[in-house]
C-alpha cells in the first residue's frame, strides 16, 4: 500500500511543481559558453591561414581581400556552416583572436548554399529573424500545419537533439507534432544526421511510402555535405541527390532550438499553402541494390515464419535483426547491423592526433564524453604526458555527468518499452538539465570536445560548483520520484523481473560488460579495478546485483546514477588547484594540433556508461595515428549476446530486453 | 596491489619457459607477447585454461611496407585483473590464420568484422560473411592500400563535380 501512496504523492508533487517545459520562442536555456556561430573581426586578422589548416572538416576557405598593413596576404576566412561542427580548433589556434564564438545556435535554411558565410557575413553579429506570418489560405492548410506527424526513424547521431522534443522539456505535442511509426500516416520525414548507403535505401523506401503532401527536414551537416564524415567510404555526402529536402538545419548536432524554429517555419509555410517539393527519388545516383535480408529459413509447413525487426523501429535504434518465430515465440535470431558504420578506424588514420579528439565522441552519441576520455588517455599514455591533477578531476566530473545523462536516457527507454510514456517524458526532461550543466562545463551539450592532449580545454566558471550542487540536489529528489513511479512499480517489476536472465558465466563468455555484467553479480568496474584519471582519489562504490535479469539491469543503472552524483560531489568538494592542462611533452615540445607522437603502441581501457571501452593506438612517429582499434562496450553485448538471449521469448519482450541491455548501434557499428 | 604484481610476474615467467616468444613486455597490468602463428593458437587454449575467460577483441594491423598483417587478440583475467595481448604476423599475400571461435565465443564476431574490413580469413570460423557493408565490391576498406580518396570521389562526388 505504502508504495501506491508514495507514487500518488510523487504525481501530486509533479502537479504542483513549476512546469518543466521551456517556453518557445524565445526562452532558450542557452549558456554563454555554448559554441555557436563564429564572429570574425577583420581588423585583427593577419591572414595567416592557420584556421583553415587546422579545421578537420575543411570548412574554412581563404578568400582574397584587400591587403593591408596588418593583413599582408589579404586573405580572410570564409566558413561553410554546411561543414563546420563547432569543434573550436580554429578559434583556439587563431593567434590574433580574430575568430571567436557567439552562443547563437540557429542556422537553418531552405537553400543550403546560403550557409557558406563570407568574411563580411561573419563580421556581423548574428540575430534571429522570424519568418513573416503568411495569410491563412484555407482551413485545410491551417489544419495540416497544426498536426504534422513525423516518421519515427533514428537515422544518425543528430537524432539525439530531436529527443528533447519528445521529452517534457521541449514537448512537441504542444505544436500538434507527433512521432509515428508508420510512414503511411506521416507528413514529414526527419533525416536525423548521417546516412550510410544501407540507411539510404530504407529512407528512400520510407519517403516513397508517405502520402502527398510530404515534407523532408534534414538535421545536421552530414546530410548536406557528409559533415565530419566527409571522407568516409560509407556515408552519403548530399542527400538531396536522392530525395528532395525542404528545410536544412545546420549544426553538429543542431541544438533543439533550431529544430523548433524550423518547425515554426514549416508551420507558417504550410499555412501559406506550401506543399513541399515535387516528389522525386533518384535511385541511380549511388549504390542502391539492397542485399536480401539474411532470413533464417522458417518452415512454412509448421507454424513458423520469418520476421525482420528494425531498422525503422523505435525499439531498435538504427539496427535490425532477423527473427524466426513460432507463433509469437522467437525460435532463432541473428543481428543485421551496419546502418551506422562510418569507418572510424580508417578516418582516424587521416586526422592528426589532436584533431581526432573532435572525431571520437561521435562514435557513440549517447555517451560521447567517455570516448574523448579514452582516446585522450591512450594518446597521453603513448606520448608519456602526465595530466595535471585538477585536469584529471574535471575529466571525472565530465565523465560522470555524461554517465548520468546516458543512464537517464536508458531509464526513459525502459519506461517507453514497458508502456510508461510518462516516465519517459519526465526522465528525458530531467536529462536536459544535465546537458545544460555539461554545456556550462564544456561549451557543448552533446559533443563536448572538452579534452585535449594533456588535460582539458578550459577551467570551470566561478559559479559552476554552485550550479552543480543545485543539480545534484534536484536529481537526488527526482530519483525518489523515479523509484516511486517506475522502479518500485509492481507493473514494471512484473514486466521485467525474470526476463532475459544472464548468468555470470554466460555474461563473461559473451563479453558482456559494464552495468549489464554487474547486474549478473560480477563486481568488475574499471574505475576501481584499474583506476585512471582521479578515480583512485575520489573513491567510488561499485553497484552490483545478483539476478541478472532485465529488472536488475535497470536497477543497477538507477543506483549508478546515485553513485555518480556522489562522485561529482566529492570531486568538486576536494577539487585541487593548479593548471588544468599540460602544454609540453616530456621531450619539452609544445603540444600543438600537429604534435608528432613517438613510435610505439598503447592500450587503454576505461569504464564508459555501457561498460569497458578500450582504445589501442599504434604510432609510427607521425602526427597521425598508424592504426587505432576501438573496442566498444556494446559489441559483445548486442551483436553476440542479445540474439542468443532472445530464444524462447515473445516478440513483445524484444524492446524491453533490448533497452535493458542499453544498446548503442553507433558504438558497435563504428 | 602487491599480490597481483606477484601473480603477474610468476605467470609471465611460467609463460616464458613454455612458449617461444619473440617479444615480451609488461606494462601495468598488460602483458604483451609477440610470437609465431602456431604459438598464437596454442597460447589461446592455455590462456583459456588459466582463467582468461573474457576475449576483448581480435584485431588486425596492416603493415603494408613489410608486406605483413599483424593479428592480435586481447584477453582478460577477471579475478586478478590481468590483460594479455598476443600478437603474431602473417604474410599479406596469404592472409589466413586459425580462428579462435571455438575457444572464446565472443571472438567469432570480432573475426567476422576483421574478415570484412581487412580481408583476413579465419580458418574454422563459420560466420564469415558481410557484417556492416552491403554489396561491397572493392578492396577491404581498412587495408592501407584501399584508396578511400578516389573511392569517395567516384562514389559520392562525381555527380557534383561534373
Ligand atoms: S569550429 Fe572546427 S569545424 Fe568549425 S570551422 Fe572551426 S575548426 Fe572548422
Ligand atoms: S582568422 Fe586568425 S587564424 Fe584565421 S587567418 Fe585570420 S588571424 Fe589567421
Ligand atoms: S556527425 Fe554531427 S551532423 Fe553528422 S549526424 Fe552526427 S551530430 Fe549530426
Amino acid at each position: 500500500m505504502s508504495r501506491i501512496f508514495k507514487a500518488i504523492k510523487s504525481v501530486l508533487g509533479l502537479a504542483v511543481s513549476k512546469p518543466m517545459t521551456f517556453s518557445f520562442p524565445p526562452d532558450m536555456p542557452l549558456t554563454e559558453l555554448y559554441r555557436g556561430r563564429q564572429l570574425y573581426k577583420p581588423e585583427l586578422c593577419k591572414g595567416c591561414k592557420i584556421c583553415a589548416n587546422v579545421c578537420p572538416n575543411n570548412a574554412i576557405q581563404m578568400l582574397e581581400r584587400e591587403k593591408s598593413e596588418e593583413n599582408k596576404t589579404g586573405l580572410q576566412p570564409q566558413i561553410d556552416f554546411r561543414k563546420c561542427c563547432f569543434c573550436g580548433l580554429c578559434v583556439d589556434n587563431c593567434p590574433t583572436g580574430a575568430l571567436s564564438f557567439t552562443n547563437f545556435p540557429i542556422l537553418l535554411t531552405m537553400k543550403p548554399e546560403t550557409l557558406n558565410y563570407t568574411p563580411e557575413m561573419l563580421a556581423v553579429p548574428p540575430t534571429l529573424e522570424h519568418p513573416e506570418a503568411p495569410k491563412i489560405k484555407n482551413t485545410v492548410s491551417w489544419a495540416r500545419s497544426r498536426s504534422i506527424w513525423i516518421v519515427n526513424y533514428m537515422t544518425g547521431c543528430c537524432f539525439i537533439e530531436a529527443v528533447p522534443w519528445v521529452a517534457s522539456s521541449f514537448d512537441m505535442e504542444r505544436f500538434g507534432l507527433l512521432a509515428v511509426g508508420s510512414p503511411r500516416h506521416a507528413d514529414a520525414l526527419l533525416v536525423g544526421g548521417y546516412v550510410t548507403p544501407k540507411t539510404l535505401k530504407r529512407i528512400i523506401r520510407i519517403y516513397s511510402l508517405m502520402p502527398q503532401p510530404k515534407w523532408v527536414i534534414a538535421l545536421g551537416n552530414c546530410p548536406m555535405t557528409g559533415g565530419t564524415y566527409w571522407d568516409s567510404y560509407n556515408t552519403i555526402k548530399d542527400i538531396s541527390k536522392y530525395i528532395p529536402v525542404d528545410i536544412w538545419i545546420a549544426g553538429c548536432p543542431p541544438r533543439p532550438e533550431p529544430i523548433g524554429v524550423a518547425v515554426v517555419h514549416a508551420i507558417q509555410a504550410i499555412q501559406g499553402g506550401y506543399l513541399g517539393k515535387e516528389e522525386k527519388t533518384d535511385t541511380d545516383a549511388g549504390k542502391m541494390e539492397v542485399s536480401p535480408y539474411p532470413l533464417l529459413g522458417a518452415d512454412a509447413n509448421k507454424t513458423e515464419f520469418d520476421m525482420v525487426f528494425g531498422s525503422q523501429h523505435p525499439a531498435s535504434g538504427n539496427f535490425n535483426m532477423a527473427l524466426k518465430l513460432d507463433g509469437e515465440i522467437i525460435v532463432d535470431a541473428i543481428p543485421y547491423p551496419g546502418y551506422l558504420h562510418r569507418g572510424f578506424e580508417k578516418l582516424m588514420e587521416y586526422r592528426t592526433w589532436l584533431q581526432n579528439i573532435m572525431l571520437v565522441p561521435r562514435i557513440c552519441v549517447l555517451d560521447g564524453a567517455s570516448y574523448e576520455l579514452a582516446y585522450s588517455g591512450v594518446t597521453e599514455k603513448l606520448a608519456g604526458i602526465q595530466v595535471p591533477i585538477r585536469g584529471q578531476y574535471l575529466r571525472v566530473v565530465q565523465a560522470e555527468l555524461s554517465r548520468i545523462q546516458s543512464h537517464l536516457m536508458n531509464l526513459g527507454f525502459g519506461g517507453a518499452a514497458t508502456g510508461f510514456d510518462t516516465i519517459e517524458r519526465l526522465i528525458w526532461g530531467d536529462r536536459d538539465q544535465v546537458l545544460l550543466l555539461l554545456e556550462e562545463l564544456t561549451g557543448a551539450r552533446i559533443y563536448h570536445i572538452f579534452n585535449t592532449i594533456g588535460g582539458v580545454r578550459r577551467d570551470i566558471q566561478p559559479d559552476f560548483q554552485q550550479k552543480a550542487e543545485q543539480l545534484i540536489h534536484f536529481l537526488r529528489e527526482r530519483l525518489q520520484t523515479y523509484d516511486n513511479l517506475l522502479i518500485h512499480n509492481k507493473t514494471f517489476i512484473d514486466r521485467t523481473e525474470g526476463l532475459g536472465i544472464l548468468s555470470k558465466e554466460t555474461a563473461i563468455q559473451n563479453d558482456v560488460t559494464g552495468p549489464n555484467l554487474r547486474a549478473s553479480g560480477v563486481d568488475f568496474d574499471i574505475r576501481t579495478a584499474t583506476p585512471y584519471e582521479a578515480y583512485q582519489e575520489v573513491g567510488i562504490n561499485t553497484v552490483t546485483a545478483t539476478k541478472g535479469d532485465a529488472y536488475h539491469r535497470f536497477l543497477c543503472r538507477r543506483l549508478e546514477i546515485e553513485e555518480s552524483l556522489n562522485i561529482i560531489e566529492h570531486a568538486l568538494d576536494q577539487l585541487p588547484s593548479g593548471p588544468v592542462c599540460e602544454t609540453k611533452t616530456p621531450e619539452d615540445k609544445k603540444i600543438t594540433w600537429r604534435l608528432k607522437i613517438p613510435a610505439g603502441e598503447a592500450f587503454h581501457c576505461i569504464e564508459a556508461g555501457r561498460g569497458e571501452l578500450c582504445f589501442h593506438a599504434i604510432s609510427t612517429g607521425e602526427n597521425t595515428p598508424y592504426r587505432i582499434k576501438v573496442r566498444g562496450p556494446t559489441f559483445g553485448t548486442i551483436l553476440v549476446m542479445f540474439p542468443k538471449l532472445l530464444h524462447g521469448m515473445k516478440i513483445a519482450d524484444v524492446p524491453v530486453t533490448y533497452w535493458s541491455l542499453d544498446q548503442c548501434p553507433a558504438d558497435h557499428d563504428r | 596491489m602487491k599480490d597481483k604484481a606477484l601473480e603477474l610476474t610468476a605467470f609471465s615467467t611460467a609463460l616464458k619457459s613454455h612458449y617461444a616468444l619473440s617479444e615480451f613486455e609488461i606494462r601495468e597490468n598488460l602483458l604483451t607477447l609477440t610470437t609465431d602463428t602456431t604459438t598464437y593458437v596454442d597460447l589461446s587454449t592455455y590462456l583459456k585454461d588459466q582463467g582468461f575467460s573474457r576475449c576483448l577483441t581480435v584485431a588486425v594491423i596492416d603493415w603494408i611496407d613489410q608486406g605483413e598483417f599483424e593479428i592480435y587478440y586481447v584477453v582478460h583475467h577477471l579475478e586478478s585483473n590481468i590483460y594479455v595481448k598476443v600478437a603474431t604476423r602473417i604474410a599479406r599475400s596469404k592472409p589466413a590464420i586459425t580462428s579462435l571461435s571455438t575457444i572464446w565465443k565472443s571472438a567469432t564476431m570480432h573475426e567476422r568484422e576483421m574478415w570484412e574490413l581487412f580481408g583476413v580469413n579465419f580458418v574454422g570460423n563459420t560466420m564469415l560473411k558481410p557484417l556492416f557493408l552491403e554489396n561491397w565490391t572493392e578492396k577491404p576498406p581498412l587495408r592501407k592500400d584501399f584508396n578511400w580518396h578516389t573511392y569517395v570521389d567516384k562514389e559520392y562526388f562525381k555527380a557534383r563535380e561534373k
Side-chain angles (χ1 to χ4, degrees), chain A residues 38 55-57 59-60 79 84-90 101:
Chain A
Q38 287 91 334
C55 179
N57 297 336
I60 303 189
I79 302 186
C84 170
C85 72
F86 302 98
C87 67
L89 283 182
C90 54
F101 280 117

Side-chain angles (χ1 to χ4, degrees), chain A residues 161-223:
Chain A
E161 288 294 51
V163 163
W165 280 94
V166 180
S168 55
S169 48
F170 285 85
D171 186 17
M172 64 181 180
E173 283 168 27
R174 62 184 149 154
F175 294 105
L177 273 76
L178 198 68
V180 287
S182 163
R184 295 185 199 276
H185 293 167
D187 307 294
L189 171 66
L190 187 70
V191 180
Y194 58 88
V195 178
T196 60
K198 231 174 178 169
T199 307
L200 179 69
K201 294 160 198 161
R202 277 73 187 176
I203 288 186
I204 294 184
R205 188 161 159 71
I206 290 171
Y207 173 81
S208 6
L209 287 173
M210 287 162 57
Q212 294 272 14
K214 50 187 157 190
W215 297 275
V216 179
I217 305 175
L219 264 186
N221 299 344
C222 288

Side-chain angles (χ1 to χ4, degrees), chain A residues 284-303:
Chain A
D284 293 334
K287 310 165 23 157
M288 291 310 302
E289 247 171 275
V290 182
S291 324
Y293 279 103
L295 295 180
L296 285 158
D299 185 348
N301 294 325
K302 297 193 201 150
T303 44

Side-chain angles (χ1 to χ4, degrees), chain B residues 83-105:
Chain B
Y83 293 87
V84 175
K85 173 179 164 248
V86 181
T88 188
R89 293 212 179 194
I90 55 172
R92 228 170 159 272
S93 50
K94 272 196 235 116
I97 192 159
T98 312
S99 162
L100 305 177
S101 52
T102 49
I103 319 259
W104 290 287
K105 288 179 188 162

